[in-house]
Amino acid sequence: MKKDFTLIVYAENNFSVLNRMINICNRRRVRIKKLLANELEDPHRGEACFILYTTEEIAEKVQLQVDKLIEVEETKLYEGAESFHKEAQLAGVE
Amino acid sequence: MSTVALKEKKEAAKKPEIVKEITGAEAAIESLLAEGVDTIFGYPGGAIMPVYDALYHCLDKVHHILTRHEQGAIHAAQGYARTSGKVGVVFATSGPGATNLVTGLADAMIDSTPLVCITGQVVASLLGTDAFQETDVINVTNPVTKWNIQITRAEDIPAAIAKAFYIAESGRPGPVLIDITKDAQFGKAPYHFEKCRQIKTYHPKPVLNRAEVEAAAQLINSAKKPYLMVGQGVILSGATKELKAFVEKTGIPVASTLLGLSAFPSDHPLYVGFLGMHGNYACNHMINQCDVLIAVGLRFDDRITGDLKKYAKQAKIVHIELDKAEINKNVKAEAPVHADAKEALKALLEKVDERKHSAWINEFKKLQNDEFEKIITKDWHPKTGKIKMGEVIHILSEQTQGNAVVVTDVGQHQMVTSRYFGFKHPRTNVTSGGLGTMGFGLPAAMGAKLGTPHQEVIAVMGDGGFQMTLQELGTISENNIGIKMIILNNHFLGMVRQWQELFFDKRYSFTDITGPDFIKLADAYNIPAQRVKEHKDIADAIDTMLKHQGPFLLEIEVEKEENVFPMVPSGAGVSDMILELPK
C-alpha cells in the first residue's frame, strides 16, 4: 500500500548529488511530494529531505540506492511526514 | 653520517617541497601517468585541445588510439578494462563528443566496468549560455555514471583524477566522468598528485559479517539439492580459484550468467550450463527444483529470472553480493551475505561440508540429453541446408580449445556463442550484457586486444551490429590491431526477426537488412578477408584466420531464418523454457 515516507539524506555538497537522488526516485516513478534541500553549517555538507509517496518496499529500495551514492554520508527513512516537518522547522522553513 | 650532515638533512626535510607550476591540461596527463595509464582511447575536438596538446609531449609514455567515433573509443576502453582488469580511459570533446559517450557509459554502468572518461568543456564563463558545442554533460551523464564532476580550476584536476580512479575501480566498479572546462585546462597551478585511498562518505568494501557467513554455511550444509549460480562479481573480485575450490569441496552443480561466463571452466564435470532466456535447458529448469540456491556476484537480472513470481519459489536463497542495493532487490534472500565474493567464498570454504550430490546432478542429465538431441547436435552437425551459427562457434571453440578472448556483439550470434564456446579462463568473455548494445563488439574487441596483446581476440558479430560501428575498421587497420572478426551474416536483424516470427505472426517489420560487400569493405581498409558459404569450408577458413598475423575478417553466410532455441518466452518463468516451437 502506498503512503508517505520521509527520507532524510546527509551528503557532501556536490553539484550533481541532489539530481542523482531525484533521478533514483524518478526512475522508479516514486512521487516526491515535498523536497527540502539546505546547506549545513559546514558549507561542504548538505541535507536533503523528501516526502515520498510509495510502498514500504520501494521506499526501502530507494533508500539503499541513495545510500550508495558516492557523496552520501547517511540516510534515514521514516514512515509518515512528521519527520519532514520537524526538519523543515529546524531549517526555519516552517 | 656526521652530525652536520644529519642536521643538513633534517633542515632539507623541513623545507616545503618545491612544486612546479603546470597547466591544467599537463596536470591531467601527469595525473593519468601517475595512475599508471598506458593506453587512452579518444577523439580530439575544440574543447579538449589543450589536453591533446599536453598528450602530444608524452607519446613516449602513453599510447593513444584515435578511434573513428567516440562510441568506438568508449567501447574499446570497456574491452580493454574487461580483459586487462585495469581502468579504461577515454578522451572526448564537449557537446557531441561527450554525448557520443553516453551509450558506452550506460553499458559500463550496468555491466560494472571501470572507466575514467575525460571530456573537454567550454570555458567556465560560457557555461549555461548554449555556447558552441556546450552540453550539460554532468546532468546528461548523471544516471549512467558511478560518479561525475565538473572541474573549473586547474588546481583541482589532479585530486579529481585520483578520486575518479579510486571510485571507478573500487567496490562495484563503474564509469566515472570528469568534465574539464577549457580555461581550467589552460590555467596554471602547482602540480601535486596524491593517490586517493579513501573517501569519507564511500565504503566500497563491506566488512565480512561472520554471522551471515555462518547462516549461509548452515543452509548450504543442510541442502539436499543445492545449486550454485555465478555472475561477473566472481571475476571482478578475482575469486575464480576460491569458486573452484568451493564447488569441488561441496560437489554443488554450478551454472553461469551471461557475464559470469569464464568464471568457471565450462568443461568441468560440475558445470551445468549457461543461464538465461536463451541459455541451457536443464540449468534453467533446475532453478525451480533445487532446495537451496546460492547466487554469487550477480544481480538476478530479468533475463535470468524470467517471471519473478515463478522463480525459485521452493528454494531458500543465499545471495553473496558486494552491492547492498542488489540484495533483496529482485529476489528475496534467506541468507544474504553482503561481501566481496572472494572473501565470502574463502570464509565459506572453511565452513561447508565436503559432499557429493550424484543423484541430484543426475537429475540434470535427462534434460541435458533432451537439449543435446533436439538442439545441440542439430546445431553442431546440420546435415543439409545452410550453415548454422552453432556449427561455426563449435568449430571455433574446438580449434582454439577455449584459449582465446571472445568478444560478442548483441543478438542471436551472442546467445549462440555464449552457449557453444567453451570458456575456460577468466576474463575471456567480453559482451554487452545488461544494456545489450548493438555495435559493441567490434570496438570492444580492439580494446580487448590492446588490453591483452598476447591473447588471441576474436570478435563474433552479426551483420546488423557490425554495421553500427564498422567505421572502426579504420582504427584497426591504422594501428594493425590483430583481432579476428567473424561476421555471421544472415541478412537480418536476427533476434528481432525471431521474435517477429514467434510472437508477431511473422510480420518482419524492418528487420530485413542489406549490407555492403564486407570483403570489399575490408579490402578498402587493407584488411584481408574471406567469405564462406559452404559447410565444408568453415574449418579451413577459421584455421586460415587464426594463423594469420594481424587483423582478419571472416564473413560466414548463415541460415537466414534460424531461430535460437531453447528460449524462455518473454514474461514466462524459467520452467516454461521451450526447446522448440509448439506444434
Side-chain angles (χ1 to χ4, degrees), chain A residues 10-12 14-17 19-20 23 27-28 42 45 57 61 64-65 67-73, chain B residues 138-139 141-143 145-149 163 167 172 199-202 323-330:
Chain A
Y10 298 98
E12 264 181 37
N14 174 315
F15 273 113
S16 65
V17 70
N19 282 352
R20 284 182 180 266
N23 282 345
R27 269 186 83 182
R28 286 189 171 270
D42 171 1
R45 294 178 67 235
E57 187 193 348
K61 288 178 181 178
L64 279 172
Q65 287 184 300
D67 211 32
K68 78 174 189 183
L69 295 176
I70 302 296
E71 295 90 345
V72 169
E73 286 171 23
Chain B
I138 294 298
N139 274 316
T141 62
N142 257 342
T145 51
K146 189 174 171 186
W147 183 70
N148 61 10
I149 191 166
K163 194 171 171 182
I167 292 170
R172 180 176 175 182
I199 296 168
K200 206 175 96 186
T201 55
Y202 170 58
D323 182 348
K324 199 175 176 185
E326 293 296 347
I327 296 174
N328 296 330
K329 186 178 89 174
N330 297 329

Short mmCIF file of all heavy atoms in Angstrom, two decimals, chain A residues 10-12 14-17 19-20 23 27-28 42 45 57 61 64-65 67-73, chain B residues 138-139 141-143 145-149 163 167 172 199-202 323-330:
data_model
loop_
_atom_site.label_atom_id
_atom_site.label_comp_id
_atom_site.label_asym_id
_atom_site.label_seq_id
_atom_site.Cartn_x
_atom_site.Cartn_y
_atom_site.Cartn_z
N TYR A 10 21.97 13.02 4.31
CA TYR A 10 23.10 13.92 4.56
C TYR A 10 24.19 13.59 3.55
O TYR A 10 24.53 12.41 3.37
CB TYR A 10 23.64 13.74 5.98
CG TYR A 10 22.61 14.07 7.03
CD1 TYR A 10 21.87 13.06 7.64
CD2 TYR A 10 22.36 15.39 7.39
CE1 TYR A 10 20.90 13.36 8.58
CE2 TYR A 10 21.39 15.70 8.33
CZ TYR A 10 20.66 14.69 8.93
OH TYR A 10 19.70 14.98 9.85
N ALA A 11 24.70 14.63 2.91
CA ALA A 11 25.67 14.35 1.84
C ALA A 11 26.66 15.48 1.69
O ALA A 11 26.43 16.59 2.18
CB ALA A 11 24.92 14.16 0.53
N GLU A 12 27.74 15.16 0.97
CA GLU A 12 28.67 16.22 0.58
C GLU A 12 27.95 17.13 -0.40
O GLU A 12 27.16 16.66 -1.22
CB GLU A 12 29.87 15.59 -0.16
CG GLU A 12 31.06 15.34 0.71
CD GLU A 12 32.19 14.75 -0.08
OE1 GLU A 12 32.39 15.12 -1.25
OE2 GLU A 12 32.88 13.87 0.48
N ASN A 14 27.89 18.46 -3.33
CA ASN A 14 28.40 18.44 -4.70
C ASN A 14 27.25 18.83 -5.64
O ASN A 14 26.10 18.54 -5.37
CB ASN A 14 28.89 17.00 -4.97
CG ASN A 14 29.31 16.75 -6.39
OD1 ASN A 14 28.63 17.15 -7.32
ND2 ASN A 14 30.41 16.06 -6.55
N PHE A 15 27.60 19.48 -6.76
CA PHE A 15 26.57 19.98 -7.68
C PHE A 15 25.56 18.93 -8.11
O PHE A 15 24.40 19.21 -8.26
CB PHE A 15 27.24 20.56 -8.94
CG PHE A 15 27.63 21.99 -8.77
CD1 PHE A 15 28.95 22.35 -8.75
CD2 PHE A 15 26.66 22.96 -8.63
CE1 PHE A 15 29.32 23.68 -8.61
CE2 PHE A 15 27.01 24.29 -8.48
CZ PHE A 15 28.34 24.66 -8.46
N SER A 16 26.03 17.72 -8.37
CA SER A 16 25.12 16.76 -9.03
C SER A 16 24.41 15.82 -8.07
O SER A 16 23.54 15.08 -8.49
CB SER A 16 25.90 15.96 -10.06
OG SER A 16 26.86 15.16 -9.43
N VAL A 17 24.73 15.87 -6.79
CA VAL A 17 24.21 14.82 -5.92
C VAL A 17 22.70 14.90 -5.72
O VAL A 17 22.01 13.87 -5.68
CB VAL A 17 25.01 14.76 -4.58
CG1 VAL A 17 24.74 15.95 -3.71
CG2 VAL A 17 24.68 13.48 -3.83
N ASN A 19 20.52 15.99 -7.86
CA ASN A 19 19.92 15.44 -9.08
C ASN A 19 19.95 13.93 -9.09
O ASN A 19 19.01 13.28 -9.55
CB ASN A 19 20.67 15.96 -10.31
CG ASN A 19 20.27 17.37 -10.66
OD1 ASN A 19 19.34 17.91 -10.08
ND2 ASN A 19 20.99 17.97 -11.58
N ARG A 20 21.06 13.38 -8.61
CA ARG A 20 21.16 11.91 -8.57
C ARG A 20 20.07 11.31 -7.68
O ARG A 20 19.50 10.27 -8.00
CB ARG A 20 22.55 11.48 -8.09
CG ARG A 20 23.62 11.64 -9.15
CD ARG A 20 24.98 11.15 -8.66
NE ARG A 20 25.99 11.32 -9.68
CZ ARG A 20 26.34 10.37 -10.55
NH1 ARG A 20 25.78 9.19 -10.51
NH2 ARG A 20 27.27 10.60 -11.47
N ASN A 23 16.85 11.54 -9.51
CA ASN A 23 16.83 10.56 -10.60
C ASN A 23 16.42 9.17 -10.11
O ASN A 23 15.70 8.45 -10.79
CB ASN A 23 18.22 10.43 -11.24
CG ASN A 23 18.52 11.59 -12.18
OD1 ASN A 23 17.63 12.32 -12.57
ND2 ASN A 23 19.79 11.75 -12.51
N ARG A 27 13.29 7.31 -11.67
CA ARG A 27 13.43 6.03 -12.39
C ARG A 27 12.42 5.02 -11.90
O ARG A 27 11.93 4.19 -12.65
CB ARG A 27 14.83 5.46 -12.18
CG ARG A 27 15.81 5.87 -13.22
CD ARG A 27 17.09 5.13 -13.01
NE ARG A 27 17.06 3.81 -13.61
CZ ARG A 27 18.06 2.95 -13.53
NH1 ARG A 27 19.15 3.27 -12.88
NH2 ARG A 27 17.98 1.77 -14.10
N ARG A 28 12.16 5.07 -10.60
CA ARG A 28 11.20 4.11 -10.03
C ARG A 28 9.78 4.68 -9.99
O ARG A 28 8.90 4.09 -9.40
CB ARG A 28 11.64 3.73 -8.61
CG ARG A 28 12.83 2.78 -8.58
CD ARG A 28 13.07 2.28 -7.19
NE ARG A 28 14.06 1.24 -7.14
CZ ARG A 28 13.78 -0.07 -7.26
NH1 ARG A 28 12.54 -0.46 -7.46
NH2 ARG A 28 14.75 -0.96 -7.17
N ASP A 42 28.56 23.53 7.93
CA ASP A 42 29.73 23.36 7.08
C ASP A 42 29.23 23.42 5.63
O ASP A 42 28.46 22.55 5.21
CB ASP A 42 30.37 21.98 7.37
CG ASP A 42 31.45 21.62 6.38
OD1 ASP A 42 31.73 22.43 5.48
OD2 ASP A 42 32.02 20.52 6.52
N ARG A 45 28.76 20.48 3.29
CA ARG A 45 27.79 19.43 3.58
C ARG A 45 26.37 19.96 3.39
O ARG A 45 26.12 21.15 3.59
CB ARG A 45 27.97 18.90 5.00
CG ARG A 45 29.27 18.18 5.23
CD ARG A 45 29.40 17.72 6.67
NE ARG A 45 28.44 16.69 6.99
CZ ARG A 45 27.58 16.76 8.01
NH1 ARG A 45 27.54 17.82 8.77
NH2 ARG A 45 26.74 15.76 8.25
N GLU A 57 8.21 -1.21 0.56
CA GLU A 57 9.25 -1.96 -0.13
C GLU A 57 10.07 -1.05 -1.06
O GLU A 57 11.29 -1.05 -1.05
CB GLU A 57 8.61 -3.10 -0.94
CG GLU A 57 9.63 -4.03 -1.56
CD GLU A 57 9.03 -4.96 -2.61
OE1 GLU A 57 7.79 -5.05 -2.71
OE2 GLU A 57 9.83 -5.57 -3.34
N LYS A 61 14.01 0.34 -0.94
CA LYS A 61 14.94 0.15 -2.06
C LYS A 61 15.52 1.49 -2.53
O LYS A 61 16.69 1.58 -2.87
CB LYS A 61 14.24 -0.58 -3.21
CG LYS A 61 14.00 -2.05 -2.86
CD LYS A 61 13.28 -2.81 -3.94
CE LYS A 61 13.08 -4.25 -3.48
NZ LYS A 61 12.35 -5.06 -4.44
N LEU A 64 18.26 2.45 -0.15
CA LEU A 64 19.52 1.72 -0.39
C LEU A 64 20.26 2.30 -1.60
O LEU A 64 21.49 2.41 -1.60
CB LEU A 64 19.23 0.24 -0.64
CG LEU A 64 19.01 -0.61 0.60
CD1 LEU A 64 18.54 -2.01 0.22
CD2 LEU A 64 20.31 -0.73 1.41
N GLN A 65 19.50 2.65 -2.63
CA GLN A 65 20.15 3.18 -3.84
C GLN A 65 20.71 4.58 -3.59
O GLN A 65 21.78 4.91 -4.09
CB GLN A 65 19.17 3.16 -5.02
CG GLN A 65 18.96 1.73 -5.52
CD GLN A 65 18.08 1.66 -6.75
OE1 GLN A 65 16.92 2.08 -6.70
NE2 GLN A 65 18.60 1.14 -7.83
N ASP A 67 21.67 5.63 -0.69
CA ASP A 67 22.74 5.38 0.26
C ASP A 67 24.07 5.06 -0.43
O ASP A 67 25.14 5.36 0.08
CB ASP A 67 22.33 4.22 1.17
CG ASP A 67 22.93 4.34 2.54
OD1 ASP A 67 23.12 5.47 2.99
OD2 ASP A 67 23.22 3.30 3.14
N LYS A 68 24.00 4.46 -1.59
CA LYS A 68 25.27 4.08 -2.24
C LYS A 68 25.85 5.17 -3.15
O LYS A 68 26.91 4.99 -3.73
CB LYS A 68 25.13 2.74 -2.96
CG LYS A 68 24.43 2.75 -4.27
CD LYS A 68 24.54 1.34 -4.90
CE LYS A 68 24.04 1.34 -6.32
NZ LYS A 68 24.04 0.04 -6.94
N LEU A 69 25.17 6.31 -3.25
CA LEU A 69 25.77 7.42 -4.00
C LEU A 69 27.06 7.83 -3.29
O LEU A 69 27.12 7.86 -2.05
CB LEU A 69 24.80 8.61 -4.07
CG LEU A 69 23.50 8.37 -4.84
CD1 LEU A 69 22.60 9.59 -4.75
CD2 LEU A 69 23.79 8.04 -6.30
N ILE A 70 28.06 8.14 -4.06
CA ILE A 70 29.40 8.38 -3.51
C ILE A 70 29.40 9.45 -2.42
O ILE A 70 30.04 9.30 -1.38
CB ILE A 70 30.39 8.79 -4.63
CG1 ILE A 70 30.45 7.71 -5.73
CG2 ILE A 70 31.78 9.09 -4.07
CD1 ILE A 70 30.98 6.38 -5.33
N GLU A 71 28.65 10.53 -2.64
CA GLU A 71 28.72 11.67 -1.71
C GLU A 71 27.85 11.49 -0.48
O GLU A 71 27.91 12.31 0.43
CB GLU A 71 28.29 12.96 -2.42
CG GLU A 71 29.20 13.41 -3.54
CD GLU A 71 28.81 12.85 -4.88
OE1 GLU A 71 28.03 11.89 -4.91
OE2 GLU A 71 29.30 13.35 -5.90
N VAL A 72 27.01 10.48 -0.46
CA VAL A 72 26.03 10.37 0.62
C VAL A 72 26.67 9.80 1.88
O VAL A 72 27.29 8.74 1.87
CB VAL A 72 24.81 9.53 0.17
CG1 VAL A 72 23.91 9.19 1.36
CG2 VAL A 72 24.03 10.30 -0.88
N GLU A 73 26.50 10.57 2.98
CA GLU A 73 27.06 10.13 4.27
C GLU A 73 26.11 9.19 5.00
O GLU A 73 26.50 8.20 5.57
CB GLU A 73 27.26 11.34 5.19
CG GLU A 73 28.41 12.22 4.84
CD GLU A 73 28.38 13.50 5.67
OE1 GLU A 73 27.78 13.53 6.76
OE2 GLU A 73 28.97 14.49 5.21
N ILE B 138 27.25 16.91 -17.30
CA ILE B 138 27.10 16.37 -15.93
C ILE B 138 25.68 15.84 -15.74
O ILE B 138 25.47 14.71 -15.30
CB ILE B 138 27.47 17.44 -14.88
CG1 ILE B 138 28.96 17.79 -14.98
CG2 ILE B 138 27.11 16.99 -13.47
CD1 ILE B 138 29.93 16.65 -14.72
N ASN B 139 24.71 16.66 -16.11
CA ASN B 139 23.33 16.19 -15.95
C ASN B 139 22.96 15.10 -16.94
O ASN B 139 22.21 14.19 -16.61
CB ASN B 139 22.35 17.36 -16.04
CG ASN B 139 22.18 18.02 -14.68
OD1 ASN B 139 22.05 17.34 -13.66
ND2 ASN B 139 22.23 19.33 -14.64
N THR B 141 24.91 12.81 -17.97
CA THR B 141 25.53 11.52 -17.61
C THR B 141 25.26 11.10 -16.16
O THR B 141 25.73 10.04 -15.74
CB THR B 141 27.06 11.56 -17.84
OG1 THR B 141 27.63 12.57 -17.00
CG2 THR B 141 27.39 11.83 -19.29
N ASN B 142 24.52 11.90 -15.42
CA ASN B 142 24.22 11.53 -14.03
C ASN B 142 23.69 10.11 -13.86
O ASN B 142 24.19 9.35 -13.04
CB ASN B 142 23.19 12.51 -13.43
CG ASN B 142 23.86 13.51 -12.51
OD1 ASN B 142 24.97 13.28 -12.06
ND2 ASN B 142 23.19 14.60 -12.23
N PRO B 143 22.68 9.71 -14.63
CA PRO B 143 22.13 8.37 -14.39
C PRO B 143 23.01 7.24 -14.90
O PRO B 143 22.74 6.08 -14.60
CB PRO B 143 20.81 8.37 -15.16
CG PRO B 143 20.63 9.73 -15.71
CD PRO B 143 21.94 10.42 -15.67
N THR B 145 26.57 7.19 -14.75
CA THR B 145 27.92 7.17 -14.20
C THR B 145 27.85 6.83 -12.71
O THR B 145 26.87 7.14 -12.03
CB THR B 145 28.63 8.54 -14.34
OG1 THR B 145 27.76 9.56 -13.83
CG2 THR B 145 29.00 8.84 -15.77
N LYS B 146 28.92 6.22 -12.23
CA LYS B 146 29.02 5.96 -10.79
C LYS B 146 29.28 7.28 -10.06
O LYS B 146 28.84 7.49 -8.94
CB LYS B 146 30.16 4.96 -10.57
CG LYS B 146 30.26 4.42 -9.15
CD LYS B 146 31.31 3.33 -9.04
CE LYS B 146 31.57 2.95 -7.60
NZ LYS B 146 32.69 2.00 -7.46
N TRP B 147 29.99 8.15 -10.74
CA TRP B 147 30.31 9.47 -10.18
C TRP B 147 30.72 10.37 -11.33
O TRP B 147 31.28 9.90 -12.32
CB TRP B 147 31.46 9.34 -9.17
CG TRP B 147 31.86 10.59 -8.46
CD1 TRP B 147 31.14 11.26 -7.51
CD2 TRP B 147 33.10 11.31 -8.60
NE1 TRP B 147 31.86 12.34 -7.05
CE2 TRP B 147 33.06 12.39 -7.69
CE3 TRP B 147 34.24 11.15 -9.39
CZ2 TRP B 147 34.11 13.31 -7.57
CZ3 TRP B 147 35.29 12.05 -9.27
CH2 TRP B 147 35.22 13.12 -8.36
N ASN B 148 30.43 11.66 -11.23
CA ASN B 148 30.95 12.59 -12.22
C ASN B 148 31.23 13.93 -11.55
O ASN B 148 30.72 14.21 -10.46
CB ASN B 148 30.02 12.74 -13.42
CG ASN B 148 28.65 13.28 -13.06
OD1 ASN B 148 28.42 13.73 -11.95
ND2 ASN B 148 27.73 13.21 -14.01
N ILE B 149 32.05 14.72 -12.20
CA ILE B 149 32.40 16.02 -11.62
C ILE B 149 32.81 16.97 -12.73
O ILE B 149 33.40 16.57 -13.74
CB ILE B 149 33.53 15.87 -10.57
CG1 ILE B 149 33.70 17.17 -9.77
CG2 ILE B 149 34.85 15.45 -11.21
CD1 ILE B 149 34.55 17.01 -8.52
N LYS B 163 40.67 10.73 -7.45
CA LYS B 163 39.40 10.28 -6.88
C LYS B 163 38.62 9.44 -7.91
O LYS B 163 38.02 8.42 -7.57
CB LYS B 163 38.58 11.52 -6.46
CG LYS B 163 37.41 11.23 -5.57
CD LYS B 163 36.81 12.53 -5.02
CE LYS B 163 35.50 12.26 -4.30
NZ LYS B 163 34.87 13.48 -3.80
N ILE B 167 37.27 5.62 -7.36
CA ILE B 167 35.85 5.28 -7.43
C ILE B 167 35.59 4.27 -8.55
O ILE B 167 34.84 3.30 -8.36
CB ILE B 167 35.00 6.55 -7.62
CG1 ILE B 167 35.07 7.42 -6.35
CG2 ILE B 167 33.56 6.22 -7.96
CD1 ILE B 167 34.48 8.82 -6.51
N ARG B 172 31.97 -2.05 -6.32
CA ARG B 172 31.41 -2.49 -7.61
C ARG B 172 31.89 -1.49 -8.65
O ARG B 172 31.51 -0.32 -8.60
CB ARG B 172 29.88 -2.50 -7.52
CG ARG B 172 29.23 -2.94 -8.80
CD ARG B 172 27.73 -3.04 -8.64
NE ARG B 172 27.12 -3.35 -9.91
CZ ARG B 172 25.82 -3.46 -10.10
NH1 ARG B 172 25.00 -3.31 -9.10
NH2 ARG B 172 25.34 -3.75 -11.29
N ILE B 199 37.58 7.68 0.68
CA ILE B 199 36.67 8.82 0.63
C ILE B 199 35.74 8.67 1.83
O ILE B 199 35.19 7.58 2.05
CB ILE B 199 35.87 8.82 -0.69
CG1 ILE B 199 36.81 9.01 -1.89
CG2 ILE B 199 34.79 9.89 -0.69
CD1 ILE B 199 36.18 8.73 -3.23
N LYS B 200 35.61 9.75 2.57
CA LYS B 200 34.88 9.67 3.84
C LYS B 200 33.47 9.08 3.71
O LYS B 200 33.03 8.30 4.54
CB LYS B 200 34.79 11.09 4.43
CG LYS B 200 34.64 11.12 5.94
CD LYS B 200 34.68 12.54 6.45
CE LYS B 200 33.26 13.04 6.61
NZ LYS B 200 33.16 14.45 6.98
N THR B 201 32.80 9.44 2.63
CA THR B 201 31.39 9.03 2.52
C THR B 201 31.20 7.74 1.73
O THR B 201 30.06 7.33 1.47
CB THR B 201 30.59 10.14 1.83
OG1 THR B 201 31.23 10.40 0.57
CG2 THR B 201 30.56 11.39 2.65
N TYR B 202 32.29 7.12 1.31
CA TYR B 202 32.19 5.97 0.39
C TYR B 202 32.89 4.77 0.99
O TYR B 202 34.07 4.85 1.35
CB TYR B 202 32.81 6.41 -0.94
CG TYR B 202 33.03 5.34 -1.98
CD1 TYR B 202 31.99 4.57 -2.46
CD2 TYR B 202 34.31 5.14 -2.53
CE1 TYR B 202 32.21 3.62 -3.45
CE2 TYR B 202 34.54 4.20 -3.51
CZ TYR B 202 33.49 3.43 -3.96
OH TYR B 202 33.70 2.49 -4.93
N ASP B 323 27.25 -5.33 -3.68
CA ASP B 323 26.41 -4.14 -3.73
C ASP B 323 25.15 -4.39 -2.90
O ASP B 323 24.26 -5.15 -3.29
CB ASP B 323 26.06 -3.85 -5.19
CG ASP B 323 25.23 -2.59 -5.37
OD1 ASP B 323 24.73 -2.06 -4.35
OD2 ASP B 323 25.06 -2.15 -6.51
N LYS B 324 25.07 -3.70 -1.77
CA LYS B 324 23.95 -3.93 -0.84
C LYS B 324 22.58 -3.67 -1.48
O LYS B 324 21.59 -4.32 -1.16
CB LYS B 324 24.14 -3.01 0.37
CG LYS B 324 23.35 -3.44 1.59
CD LYS B 324 23.68 -2.57 2.77
CE LYS B 324 22.81 -2.95 3.96
NZ LYS B 324 23.05 -2.03 5.07
N ALA B 325 22.56 -2.70 -2.40
CA ALA B 325 21.28 -2.37 -3.03
C ALA B 325 20.78 -3.49 -3.94
O ALA B 325 19.61 -3.50 -4.35
CB ALA B 325 21.41 -1.08 -3.82
N GLU B 326 21.64 -4.43 -4.29
CA GLU B 326 21.22 -5.56 -5.14
C GLU B 326 20.62 -6.69 -4.31
O GLU B 326 19.90 -7.53 -4.84
CB GLU B 326 22.41 -6.11 -5.95
CG GLU B 326 22.94 -5.15 -7.01
CD GLU B 326 21.93 -4.83 -8.10
OE1 GLU B 326 20.90 -5.52 -8.19
OE2 GLU B 326 22.18 -3.87 -8.84
N ILE B 327 20.95 -6.73 -3.03
CA ILE B 327 20.42 -7.81 -2.17
C ILE B 327 18.95 -7.52 -1.89
O ILE B 327 18.60 -6.41 -1.47
CB ILE B 327 21.25 -7.93 -0.87
CG1 ILE B 327 22.69 -8.35 -1.22
CG2 ILE B 327 20.62 -8.92 0.09
CD1 ILE B 327 23.65 -8.36 -0.04
N ASN B 328 18.11 -8.51 -2.15
CA ASN B 328 16.64 -8.38 -1.99
C ASN B 328 16.01 -7.40 -2.97
O ASN B 328 14.87 -7.02 -2.82
CB ASN B 328 16.25 -7.97 -0.56
CG ASN B 328 16.63 -9.02 0.46
OD1 ASN B 328 16.66 -10.20 0.14
ND2 ASN B 328 16.94 -8.60 1.67
N LYS B 329 16.75 -6.95 -3.98
CA LYS B 329 16.17 -6.02 -4.95
C LYS B 329 15.14 -6.74 -5.82
O LYS B 329 14.02 -6.27 -5.98
CB LYS B 329 17.26 -5.41 -5.84
CG LYS B 329 16.73 -4.32 -6.78
CD LYS B 329 17.81 -3.68 -7.61
CE LYS B 329 18.02 -4.45 -8.92
NZ LYS B 329 18.96 -3.78 -9.82
N ASN B 330 15.54 -7.87 -6.37
CA ASN B 330 14.62 -8.62 -7.22
C ASN B 330 14.17 -9.93 -6.59
O ASN B 330 13.03 -10.35 -6.78
CB ASN B 330 15.30 -8.93 -8.57
CG ASN B 330 15.64 -7.67 -9.34
OD1 ASN B 330 14.95 -6.66 -9.22
ND2 ASN B 330 16.71 -7.70 -10.10
#
